[in-house]
Each structure stands twice: as structure tokens, then as C-alpha cells.
Amino acid sequence: RNRAVGAMALKGSVRAHHDNKKEVASSEGGIPGVLGIRRENKNKWERRAPLAPRHVQALVAQGLKVVVQPSSRRVFTDAEYCAAGAIVQEDLSECATVVAVKEVPSEVLLPNRTWCFFSHTIKGQPAGMPLLDAVLEKQVRLVDYECITETGTRGGPRLVAFGAFAGLAGAIDFIRGLGERFLALGFNTPFLHVGSAFMYPSLEEACRAVALAGDAIRKHGLPEALCPFTVVVTGKGKVSQGALDILKLLPHAMMDPHDLADVCGHNPNCHQLHIAVATSEHMVQRRNGGGFNKKEYYADPSLYESVFQDAILPYSTVIVNGMYWDARFPRLFTQEDLSRHVNSGNDKLLGVCDITCDADGSVPTRQFTSIEQPFFIFNALTGMAANSLDEPGVLFHAVDHLPSELPREASEHFGDCLLPFLPALTATTAPRVPDSNQAELLPRPIRGAIVAEGGRLTRAYQYIEQLRKLKCEPDSFDAMDTSQAFGPHGLTKPPACATLELTGHLFDTRFVNQICDVVEAAQAKLQFLNVNVGGTVRDKSSMTALVCTHWEDKLQEVLVQIQGAAQDAAVEVRQVSVGSSDAAAANVEELQQLSTWTGNPRHVLVLGAGFVSAPLVEYLLRRPENRLVVASLERKEADALAQRYGTKVTAEVLDITCTSEEATAKREKLIESADLIVSLIPASLHVGVAQTAIRLRKPMVTASYVSAEMQALDAEARDAGVLIINEVGLDPGIDHMSAMQMIDAANASGQGRIVGFSSLCGGLPAPEATSSSPIGYKFSWSPKGVLMASQNSARYRHEGMLNVVPGKELLANASPLILNNALALETLPNRDSNVFADLYGLSSIPSFFRGTLRYRGFCERMLALARLGLLDQGPLPALKSGPSTLRQWLAQLLDISENVSADALRAEVERRLADLAGIPCSRLDDVSSSHIGSSSVGVAFIEWLGLFEEAPLPTGALADSPIDVMAQLLQRPEMAFQPGERDLVLMRHELMVQRSDGVLERRAATLIEYGQPHSHSAMARTVGVTAAICAQLVLDNPTRFGAGVQRPLRPEWYEPVLSQLANEGILLREHSEVIQKSQLLAKM
């Protein structure tokens, strides 16, 4: 610390015995011998560093000065770097060379320095070009790790990489996914006990977990339905080798890919995996016959065609894809191949781990996944991808930054690779002129990896400028010569286009420059679609390009010139499509019509600008005629929506509760100007809005329950011919509509009678977001509402008997539930179920239940609070005096001495909880933690809340209201959703039907909807999109649904709404099963 402070104090000071001119000049490009390590901040998972503390120690021992930017996220602490001899400080300006891992934001690039990182610029990637521009402008010497090779030329063996760690982490994660997927398919396997790589403190611990799973397979085997369990690993590079290292921790037999068919044709051995490593010779065959020639294949892949899809795919349980691939090479298999095998009954494939992460590349990976949500299910029959692992299809894993899951080991390895080059790199400052002789002093692998220096691209990387020209689309057709762009009668001709696939030495022969010259001379348009640059000068490159002109004759003229240039350069040109783009023009015309709507616009007033509003606004804006006014008490919220969604959204500030003349006039004007009102404000305010809407004859949509006051407006609304549709969110909303669809279908079938119904719903954190919350719950707003709901009384019918649950006992009446064999939940009765039995036409059936879902453990901990009086609303006179600390406050609540010690208070709380739960004190140590009301779990939760501590009461909490104090204590960061965390919406209906043949049938429907990280939550989406669909239905046909205060219980509501929700991916999956009579109404 002292060294850092001293360095910072001296920086910029005038020193008497120092050559100040020389230091200032040097510091403009850093000081030779000073190396900086930049802090990584691309995403929250990036905890790697280019050098570990031991590497820093080695450099310091060689006389280098190392400056490390501080980071609380990095896997190595700042203290570890300090102990290794580094100076930890924010300022890197004295560093001549700076190393990082991921791309560096342009604005933090220090000029005239040597920077080393993965730049993602060498293929002309559009996203990396602003960074490259900054590199050139700031005269940075850029060294790209991807280009550090043994030979110093592109395509040589790489020397600095994380490859093996992608394979290691990918295989570990994939095993976890297989466990979850197999559970969804109905099979319990040892894979279920393996987590993702990042969940373990070290690679060693992760490997131990995989090995333990292997021991279980060796002892107990895998389910026979999954065997023989064949694993095909593609490629033999570092990525594939890393994956193999993990897979070999499981009991296995290595085999040749040609033997897969034989293994699948014999009695399976369920106590081991069968692993085959497939390379190019197993994947392709020569089109015109003859044996496989590796050199020929890589020189000209077009001579070969894939056989993987028929020789290997039908016999693979899972595929781990770790091989290099680009568009020149045949794909391993496609969606069509997979669909063909599924239809023929050869659908053995259950999972694909695509470590290479090529979008729709060698395997049909349709989307990349994230560390938070690493898997999706791909349905080859529909081509659709689903996040729920319960869907039919193949499990896919495609995370594109896997090494960051093993940050410590990956950084140690990477630093070992990089360390030998750093003394030479830091010995001098970056040159101010391009192609300086200074580079000759550097090791050959580093010389070949310098992408730019002195403000220019180096010779080996000047092709990037050519790629950029291809990727820079001309402004528009308007810039072209249009003198001949007219057909008969002066009508503009549609553009003529051709898509070309080009393969050969495109850059070395300057062929790319030639076609650019041809297109430019013709005043045509050239759009780059895809490019793959050959790894070495011997390798061919490939690209796809779109050429467009204003008329067909001109297009043919351009194509002839391109073909001529291709012959001279020995480049293969294949026309994928060619001709007049009439269909495209029609599509453009249609889009223009949509964007320039000339009919009467429809005006929607949206009251409220909270989380639910954004999905609703997005949906309604899909229709070009809709214009929205978003009115909110908070100007900031309304403005944010208006700015986000453009000119069709206007923001207004409106206090719906204000009764002043001005506020009332504004409210009435907004409602009168609208064709429809959507009210997303608190439920208690809906009635006032509805009264104005009825008077002004404007239909209204809300997502809230129909209150008694709202229902009282029914006759008035009918007389005025105004529709007030309520309960069109999730719960209420989707629950009503999906339940009525099931009930009406069962009644219409005439095959039996309904004897039981249950409906469960819950909004929860996604499983991976629960670790910071002891109750498995997170709050999007004040916790007080949730605490109060846990004290509501409830009524429901069970086997003909009416069960009444007092509010104080609600939490003690929780029932366990395992959903989809994966989620451990519990169910709480939800208020008066009998009200909904009447609405659903089921008032006469023996059992009717509505419940709320929580994760297992929620009720046990909350019950401890309730039994001690910590959820009482108060005011309690005994607490009026306002004790100074939490411990004193709890002691006062329990009517014991305020001077009690923490241990004595803890013991008293445990004793009281045991008494209230009916547990003898002698058995306290033996009580299972799963026992509802067990004292140890409750005590631990109370301790977590801080109630045994000498800490002050929360600021603003009412001391005489225990529930208010608890709500304040629960408002801590770990109980709120953090950036990137997802929520989860669960819904489950069960309908019991006694069929006419005497068989009892359970019909179930389940909704599992996850939120989108950094986007809409599942709750906001299910509520907002449902309300928006209903609003659009009313706008499209205002008289279709009649008038009055309504709920969406009729087919004219639920049929179109559920259908459109399914189009949005929000739907309940249904299944039925025959059960024994003894199971009648289980879990109801």
C-alpha cells in the first residue's frame, strides 16, 4: 500500500535530481520496464486475469515494475498481488505495456502503449471495428493473443490460449444439464449431483464431483432406457482434450466411431459410457470415391461430403463438439438430418454440447446460452428452441465464454504461456511509426501477433481494411445512377440482386479489390454477408456477398465481370440466387405501408409505468395504428418508456388521486381522448378510473381482481354500453382462462364428471438466484405485502368437507409438492377458494382448492416469525417506548428482560418455538430440519435477520408494529433481484374426472416461465402481454364482448387470448394419467 501511495504522490511532481524532460517524454508512452494489468469488467462472470500473483512475483524478481488495477471481482485478491510485489492502483499511465484478457473499451485505451488482449478484430468483425479505429488513432501497438503462434504466422500452433479450459468447463456443465434433462424425462441419474463448473471453488472440487457420479454409475448403473450411453467427441484439439479429461472421470470404454453401430446392436452395459473420438476421416467421404486425404480435405473441402449424419449421429446418445469449423467444410448434421432420424424412429440423440459455439455451424445450434441459463431444448420437428428442459427435443449447451467458469486455473495456465514474452514486450515503448525496426527485437511469435502499431495496420493484417470495405454497406440505392432504373410507363423497376459464394485465395490475389472496383464502377451495391479468412497463406478463404443493381441487365453485366476476374484469380464463384427481387420489393412495399399507416390511429391511455407496462407497450406497438399515452405519477418512469419506444408513445404526469380542479380536468381529458384505457395502477384506484370511463363511454382493461366496489358498477356499465374487463394478467388472468378451457373441454366431452380441481400459482426467483435468500424468495417491492399475505385466512373444500384455516395457522398448513421431478416446493391455501368454485361452475364438486407456491423452507421459517408474534401488525403498546437495539426489542416483544444476553435470548426463542410446535425440549437435537415448525431452522432465520444483535432498529420502522420491523429487516440487497438474475412463474392445474367407465383420470396443465436476464421478468411479461392481448382484441372489435364488468371466463375471451399467448411462448403443457381411487384428489 505504501509503495502505491508513494508512487501516486510522486507522479507529476518536479524532482531536483531527475531528468524531468526525459521522464515526461517517456511517460507519454509509458516508462519502459513498467507493466500494467488491467481490471476485467466485460461481464460479471469475467473473473480471470492474464497473470496470476506468482507470475507477477517472477517479473518483479527480474526487475520489472508491475501495476495492477484493483478489482473486487477478480479471482485473485488485491492483497495477493501486493504480496507478490505489485503496486495496486487505478492509474496505469506509467505503464509502457498493459495486458488484459478481453477487449478493452476504446475510451480507456492509453495512447502510445503496447496493449495485449483478445481484440476480436482480425476477421474484420463489425463489433470490433470501433476498437480498431481507436487503436489506430491512439497509435497503440496491439498484440492479439489469438495470433501468437509457434511460427509467427497465422495458422501455426497457438501458444497463448484458454482452449483446454473451455473443454473442461463445457463438459462439467453439460453433465449437469444431462442430469436435469434426464430428470425431466423421468430418470434419476448420478449426473443430477454435478453442478456447473463455476459452482465449485476449484477445478479439483468439480472433478471430484464428477468422479463421485462415476462411482455411482459404476456401482448402480444408468437407467436401461438410456443405454448404451454413447458419447461422441469431435476433434482432437485442446478443447476436445479438455472435455475428454472430464468424461474419462466416469467409467468408460474408448472405441472407434466405426464400431458405434455394433455397440448399439448388443445388450447394453449400463455401468459405463462408450466414448468415441471422431475426426475428419470419420465425418466425411470423397464425393467421387477414393480414400480420405487429410491434406487434400483441408486444402479443398468441396471435394468431400458429410457422412456423419448417417454413420455416427443415429448411434450417439450425446455429442461433444470441440472441433474447428467454418463455412468451407461440410456440416456434421443439420436440423433436417435430425428430423429425418426422429421420423424414422432413430432418435437416440439426447444432448449436444457445442463448445465451439458456431451459430448454426457444424451442428444446428440456434442460439447461444449464458452461464446463468446454459441450456435450451431444440425441437428438430418444429425448428423451435425452448428454455424449459421439460419440452420435447434435444438438449443443447452453447456457452461462448466457458473458461471464465474456471478463473483460477485458467489464469494460472494462461499466465504460464504469456510470461516468457513479457520481459521483451515491456523493454521498450510502442513505436510512433509503422513497421519500425523495433519489432525485430521481439520474439518471432510476438512479431507475428502485432496487428497494428504507429497508427497503421501491420503488413500481415492489412487485409482487415479490405474486409471492412466489404462490410461497409453503401448508403442506399439512392446513391446509384438511376437514369436507366425505370421500366415501361415510368414505373421504377425493383432492384435486381444476386447472392454469390466465393472460395479461393481472395486476398492474396487481390480478387476482393477487383470485385469492389467492378461494383463501384457500375454504381451497384455490394453487401458483405459472411467471411472466413484462411489460417495461412496456403489456405483458401471463403465469403458470401450480395450484389444488387437497379436493373437486371446491369446485374448480368456486373456478374460477367466478376466471373472473368474469378477465372484469372482461380477463385470459385457459385451463384446461390440471382434475378429480379420482386418478392423482396413486395415485402418492402408492405413494410412501408405498415410504417406509413393512413387509417385512423387508435389511442390507448396506459395508466402506470411500472415493470408490467413495458411488455404491454411493446406488444401494442406491433400494430402501426396504435398510439399510446403513458401516464404516471413518476415523470421519470413515463419519460423512460416514451424515450425507449419512440414517437408513438407520449409521456404524461398524472396523479390519479388528486381531486383538484386542474388534476381532474387533465384526467378527464386524457380518458376522453383515448379509444381504450389500460389501468395498471394499484387495484384500489381502478374504481375511480372506471367510473369516469363509464361516464365517457370508454372501454377499460385491468389485470386486478374484481372488487365488490368494481362489481357494483356492472349495471351502470351495461346501461352505458361500456366494457370493463378485469383479471387479465397472470393470477388472475391466465389461471382463469386456462382453467376454464380445461373445465369446458371436460364437460363438453360427456365422458365423465369433474370431482376435483386444484389451481396453484407462484412467482419466485429462478433456482440459481435463491442462494442468497434463506426463504428462497426475493422481493420486487416492499416485503410487507408478502408478510401480510402469509397471515390471510383461507377456505377450501376437500372430499366434501369445508376446511377453514385461520390466518395465524396458514403457514402451518403448507403441503410439500415436487413439480416436474425437479422443483421442491410447498403449497399454501390461497384465501377463499369457494368464490372461484362458483365462478368456474364447480360449486357442487367434492374438492376445490386454490394455492400459492413457494420454495420448500419458506413456510417453516416464516412460521417461526408468526409464532413468536413477529408478524403481528400492531400497534403493540408494550413496544411504544421504542427500545434502542434489535435484541432489546425482541426481548421486550417476548416479555423478558431487555438486558438478556444473545445466547440466553437465542435459547429462549428456541424453547418457545419448540413449545409452540409441540416438540419436547429433550428432542430438540433430534428434530429433522424438514419438520414444519422445527425450532432450529426458525432460530437460524431469526439470527440471520439480526434480532440477537446489539444493532439499532431499522430507520423508519414503527417499533410497535412487528410486521413493519420485519419488512424493513428483509429489505436488504440479497433479498432483491440483482442485475442478470431471473425470476420464475409457475402455474399448475389439476382436474380430476370420474369417467363413465369408472376410471379416475387426472388431467394436469403446467406453466413454467422464466424471466429474461437484463430484460423483462417472467411476472412482468405474463401480466403485461396478457393484458395487451386483451386490449388489442377490444380495439379490433369493441362490440364483440358486450358490456359490463367482466372476467375472461367465456370461450370468446380465453380461446383467442390463450392462442396468442402460445404464439408468444407462454402456454401450459397438458397431460393426463389414470390413477387409483386411493389417490383421489391427492395434493388438493
Side-chain angles (χ1 to χ4, degrees):
R1 184 185 304 170
N2 292 335
R3 288 180 66 193
V5 171
M8 291 175 68
L10 291 173
K11 181 176 181 294
S13 301
V14 177
R15 300 166 65 187
H17 294 85
H18 214 70
D19 186 345
N20 292 296
K21 273 188 180 180
K22 183 175 180 180
E23 179 154 321
V24 169
S26 297
S27 64
E28 289 180 2
I31 302 172
V34 182
L35 173 71
I37 300 178
R38 182 183 179 271
R39 172 181 55 246
E40 301 297 321
N41 56 4
K42 184 173 183 180
N43 61 62
K44 68 179 182 183
W45 293 105
E46 193 48 80
R47 297 177 292 153
R48 291 175 291 176
L51 297 172
R54 64 178 177 85
H55 302 125
V56 169
Q57 187 174 20
L59 292 170
V60 171
Q62 295 180 55
L64 274 69
K65 180 178 180 180
V66 181
V67 181
V68 180
Q69 280 192 324
S71 171
S72 58
R73 182 181 290 142
R74 190 165 46 218
V75 71
F76 305 109
T77 66
D78 295 343
E80 287 178 275
Y81 282 108
C82 282
I87 296 176
V88 177
Q89 64 183 33
E90 193 70 31
D91 185 12
L92 298 179
S93 60
E94 64 179 316
C95 303
T97 300
V98 184
V99 293
V101 176
K102 303 297 286 183
E103 309 97 302
V104 175
S106 302
E107 63 272 13
V108 303
L109 273 179
L110 294 172
N112 306 122
R113 268 75 171 177
T114 296
W115 283 85
C116 308
F117 52 86
F118 288 106
S119 70
H120 299 291
T121 61
I122 61 173
K123 295 180 182 178
Q125 297 98 313
M129 292 305 98
L131 172 59
L132 185 59
D133 288 338
V135 164
L136 299 175
E137 180 184 347
K138 296 183 178 185
Q139 294 189 317
V140 162
R141 174 197 273 164
L142 173 61
V143 177
D144 195 311
Y145 300 134
E146 191 174 347
C147 305
I148 301 177
T149 66
E150 192 175 297
T151 60
T153 58
R154 291 200 57 213
R158 287 179 60 184
L159 297 179
V160 182
F162 289 105
F165 291 92
L168 291 165
I172 294 167
D173 291 6
F174 189 49
I175 291 172
R176 168 205 165 182
L178 291 174
E180 295 182 22
R181 174 58 173 163
F182 293 158
L183 190 63
L185 295 175
F187 300 106
N188 180 39
T189 67
F191 298 146
L192 194 59
H193 305 298
V194 177
S196 288
F198 76 88
M199 297 177 178
Y200 299 98
S202 67
L203 175 60
E204 181 182 358
E205 290 296 320
C207 291
R208 184 176 291 116
V210 176
L212 287 173
D215 291 342
I217 294 172
R218 194 176 288 109
K219 183 176 180 180
H220 303 293
L222 291 168
E224 188 173 346
L226 301 177
C227 299
F229 198 102
T230 56
V231 182
V232 175
V233 179
T234 64
K236 285 188 174 181
K238 291 180 179 179
V239 171
S240 300
Q241 190 56 54
L244 274 172
D245 288 345
I246 296 300
L247 294 170
K248 287 180 178 179
L249 295 173
L250 303 171
H252 66 278
M254 298 301 297
M255 57 183 301
D256 189 281
H258 294 129
D259 297 331
L260 283 167
D262 291 338
V263 169
C264 292
H266 292 82
N267 292 332
N269 181 348
C270 294
H271 294 266
Q272 67 178 18
L273 279 61
H274 302 270
I275 302 177
V277 177
T279 58
S280 301
E281 62 184 299
H282 307 110
M283 302 172 185
V284 297
Q285 67 180 11
R286 215 170 186 281
R287 293 181 183 274
N288 298 325
F292 176 80
N293 183 305
K294 183 177 180 179
K295 184 176 181 181
E296 178 187 58
Y297 174 61
Y298 282 98
D300 192 355
S302 65
L303 299 176
Y304 290 78
E305 61 185 358
S306 175
V307 294
F308 185 97
Q309 71 276 14
D310 293 316
I312 296 178
L313 178 63
Y315 311 108
S316 306
T317 306
V318 298
I319 294 171
V320 178
N321 189 29
M323 69 173 197
Y324 173 80
W325 182 88
D326 64 45
R328 296 173 299 151
F329 298 99
R331 288 177 165 84
L332 297 181
F333 65 95
T334 64
Q335 176 193 340
E336 291 72 23
D337 295 323
L338 194 52
S339 176
R340 173 167 54 84
H341 287 306
V342 171
N343 288 324
S344 65
N346 294 326
D347 50 339
K348 181 175 176 59
L349 186 69
L350 297 177
V352 175
C353 178
D354 188 10
I355 304 175
T356 62
C357 281
D358 291 316
D360 212 8
S362 58
V363 298
T365 299
R366 292 304 170 85
Q367 63 187 46
F368 294 154
T369 54
S370 62
I371 291 176
E372 297 96 326
Q373 190 173 347
F375 312 109
F376 68 91
I377 297 295
F378 175 62
N379 189 321
L381 299 179
T382 65
M384 301 296 290
N387 290 330
S388 170
L389 300 193
D390 295 335
E391 300 298 317
V394 176
L395 177 79
F396 267 75
H397 173 258
V399 175
D400 65 353
H401 49 290
L402 285 166
S404 62
E405 292 197 48
L406 297 169
R408 183 172 294 275
E409 293 85 357
S411 299
E412 294 275 5
H413 167 79
F414 193 83
D416 289 343
C417 299
L418 182 60
L419 184 64
F421 303 113
L422 292 178
L425 260 178
T426 56
T428 60
T429 57
R432 301 298 180 87
V433 293
D435 299 320
S436 69
N437 294 329
Q438 189 188 105
E440 296 301 319
L441 303 175
L442 297 173
R444 182 166 54 177
I446 295 296
R447 291 203 305 268
I450 299 174
V451 176
E453 64 179 10
R456 286 175 55 185
L457 294 170
T458 57
R459 276 196 193 90
Y461 296 93
Q462 287 175 0
Y463 69 84
I464 296 176
E465 280 300 329
Q466 298 168 340
L467 291 182
R468 294 188 71 174
K469 288 179 181 178
L470 290 177
K471 294 188 178 192
C472 292
E473 184 176 337
D475 292 339
S476 69
F477 282 109
D478 297 334
M480 299 180 189
D481 176 12
T482 58
S483 59
Q484 301 181 50
F486 297 92
H489 312 293
L491 297 177
T492 305
K493 294 181 180 179
C497 304
T499 303
L500 307 177
E501 286 189 356
L502 312 170
T503 305
H505 294 285
L506 307 177
F507 301 103
D508 299 342
T509 61
R510 300 187 59 80
F511 173 73
V512 167
N513 302 66
Q514 288 180 276
I515 62 171
C516 288
D517 292 342
V518 168
V519 170
E520 184 179 356
Q523 292 188 303
K525 176 181 177 182
L526 178 65
Q527 183 176 357
F528 169 77
L529 301 177
N530 183 39
V531 66
N532 290 282
V533 181
T536 71
V537 294
R538 297 185 302 274
D539 296 335
K540 294 181 180 180
S541 300
S542 62
M543 66 171 57
T544 306
L546 176 68
V547 181
C548 295
T549 66
H550 256 306
W551 60 97
E552 186 69 28
D553 294 344
K554 194 66 175 178
L555 175 65
Q556 295 302 324
E557 180 183 320
V558 169
L559 293 180
V560 168
Q561 293 182 60
I562 291 176
Q563 287 284 6
Q567 288 181 2
D568 295 339
V571 168
E572 179 186 351
V573 178
R574 186 169 71 91
Q575 293 183 2
V576 180
S577 64
V578 63
S580 178
S581 54
D582 294 297
N587 290 335
V588 171
E589 184 179 353
E590 181 181 348
L591 290 172
Q592 289 174 339
Q593 288 175 353
L594 288 175
S595 62
T596 56
W597 173 264
T598 57
N600 293 325
R602 296 169 179 171
H603 298 280
V604 181
L605 173 62
V606 180
L607 298 176
F611 292 121
V612 172
S613 303
L616 176 133
V617 168
E618 281 183 10
Y619 187 92
L620 291 176
L621 288 180
R622 295 181 190 176
R623 296 286 287 270
E625 68 270 27
N626 289 341
R627 304 288 186 273
L628 277 62
V629 173
V630 176
S632 172
L633 182 62
E634 298 292 335
R635 159 69 73 181
K636 186 177 180 181
E637 291 181 348
D639 284 345
L641 278 176
Q643 292 167 9
R644 181 176 178 182
Y645 295 111
T647 57
K648 292 185 179 180
V649 180
T650 304
E652 292 284 353
V653 176
L654 179 65
D655 184 354
I656 209 76
T657 63
C658 184
T659 57
S660 70
E661 184 176 339
E662 182 181 358
T664 301
K666 182 173 184 179
R667 180 170 64 249
E668 297 225 352
K669 181 179 179 181
L670 288 173
I671 293 175
E672 188 172 18
S673 301
D675 296 304
L676 175 78
I677 294 91
V678 179
S679 183
L680 300 176
I681 55 180
S684 59
L685 303 178
H686 289 324
V687 172
V689 177
Q691 289 171 332
T692 305
I694 292 170
R695 179 164 50 82
L696 296 176
R697 287 180 165 76
K698 303 294 182 180
M700 175 174 162
V701 176
T702 85
S704 302
Y705 281 109
V706 175
S707 63
E709 295 80 7
M710 182 69 82
Q711 188 60 51
L713 298 176
D714 180 56
E716 185 180 348
R718 289 178 184 275
D719 291 342
V722 173
L723 171 66
I724 309 291
I725 176 64
N726 305 268
E727 304 184 8
V728 291
L730 170 69
D731 176 6
I734 296 176
D735 60 341
H736 287 336
M737 292 182 279
S738 53
M740 288 307 303
Q741 187 178 55
M742 293 178 70
I743 293 165
D744 287 349
N747 288 331
S749 68
Q751 296 178 351
R753 61 187 181 90
I754 299 172
V755 295
F757 176 81
S758 74
S759 178
L760 313 174
C761 188
L764 301 166
E768 74 273 7
T770 60
S771 59
S772 63
S773 169
I775 57 175
Y777 195 85
K778 295 206 170 185
F779 302 99
S780 300
W781 46 81
S782 171
K784 192 170 182 178
V786 175
L787 299 182
M788 292 178 67
S790 69
Q791 300 293 287
N792 289 329
S793 60
R795 288 157 41 101
Y796 62 94
R797 288 200 311 275
H798 180 66
E799 295 184 354
M801 299 291 293
L802 178 64
N803 291 314
V804 179
V805 182
K808 294 289 185 183
E809 294 301 315
L810 182 72
L811 291 162
N813 279 266
S815 302
L817 171 68
I818 300 293
L819 187 62
N820 284 18
N821 294 320
L823 296 171
L825 306 167
E826 51 196 16
T827 303
L828 284 166
N830 186 4
R831 302 204 182 193
D832 189 355
S833 296
N834 294 326
V835 172
F836 297 92
D838 295 337
L839 289 174
Y840 293 176
L842 300 177
S843 56
S844 61
I845 67 173
S847 295
F848 189 97
F849 179 84
R850 278 171 55 90
T852 300
L853 293 172
R854 294 287 182 261
Y855 282 120
R856 190 79 55 83
F858 174 92
C859 294
E860 185 176 7
R861 289 164 175 79
M862 299 300 289
L863 181 60
L865 302 186
R867 283 178 167 166
L868 291 174
L870 289 166
L871 298 185
D872 288 351
Q873 295 187 42
L876 301 182
L879 298 175
K880 270 291 186 185
S881 59
S884 58
T885 70
L886 287 170
R887 187 195 302 170
Q888 292 174 349
W889 179 84
L890 179 58
Q892 198 174 91
L893 176 69
L894 299 178
D895 196 23
I896 59 178
S897 170
E898 292 185 20
N899 296 322
V900 66
S901 69
D903 291 340
L905 183 58
R906 187 182 296 105
E908 177 63 17
V909 167
E910 186 165 17
R911 185 191 65 77
R912 292 199 187 191
L913 288 176
D915 288 346
L916 292 166
I919 304 170
C921 291
S922 60
R923 291 189 56 235
L924 281 179
D925 293 336
D926 301 326
V927 174
S928 166
S929 63
S930 63
H931 186 283
I932 288 292
S934 64
S935 58
S936 60
V937 172
V939 171
F941 182 46
I942 290 168
E943 186 162 25
W944 181 86
L945 287 168
L947 289 170
F948 298 142
E949 298 175 8
E950 285 292 325
L953 264 69
T955 304
L958 301 174
D960 61 347
S961 173
I963 196 171
D964 194 63
V965 174
M966 291 302 99
Q968 294 285 343
L969 290 176
L970 286 168
Q971 281 189 317
R972 52 173 75 183
E974 58 265 44
M975 298 299 290
F977 284 97
Q978 300 303 308
E981 288 186 339
R982 303 181 300 163
D983 70 327
L984 167 66
V985 162
L986 298 170
M987 185 178 291
R988 168 86 168 187
H989 299 318
E990 287 190 2
L991 195 68
M992 309 301 293
V993 178
Q994 187 75 55
R995 294 192 335 213
S996 54
D997 59 4
V999 171
L1000 186 64
E1001 181 183 3
R1002 176 189 285 129
R1003 301 178 184 178
T1006 306
L1007 168 69
I1008 301 178
E1009 179 74 14
Y1010 284 93
Q1012 302 159 345
H1014 306 291
S1015 184
H1016 302 316
S1017 68
M1019 184 63 71
R1021 189 164 176 264
T1022 50
V1023 174
V1025 172
T1026 306
I1029 291 171
C1030 292
Q1032 192 63 59
L1033 288 171
V1034 176
L1035 286 169
D1036 289 343
N1037 193 342
T1039 62
R1040 173 181 179 182
F1041 305 101
V1045 176
Q1046 297 186 20
R1047 298 177 175 89
L1049 303 177
R1050 295 175 289 153
E1052 54 263 40
W1053 277 115
Y1054 68 66
E1055 286 178 355
V1057 175
L1058 292 177
S1059 174
Q1060 292 186 44
L1061 281 171
N1063 292 337
E1064 302 297 317
I1066 303 172
L1067 72 164
L1068 282 81
R1069 307 288 181 180
E1070 298 186 17
H1071 75 275
S1072 62
E1073 57 182 337
V1074 173
I1075 63 173
Q1076 300 297 322
K1077 191 167 185 178
S1078 61
Q1079 295 176 282
L1080 178 61
L1081 308 181
K1083 303 176 189 173
M1084 292 206 171

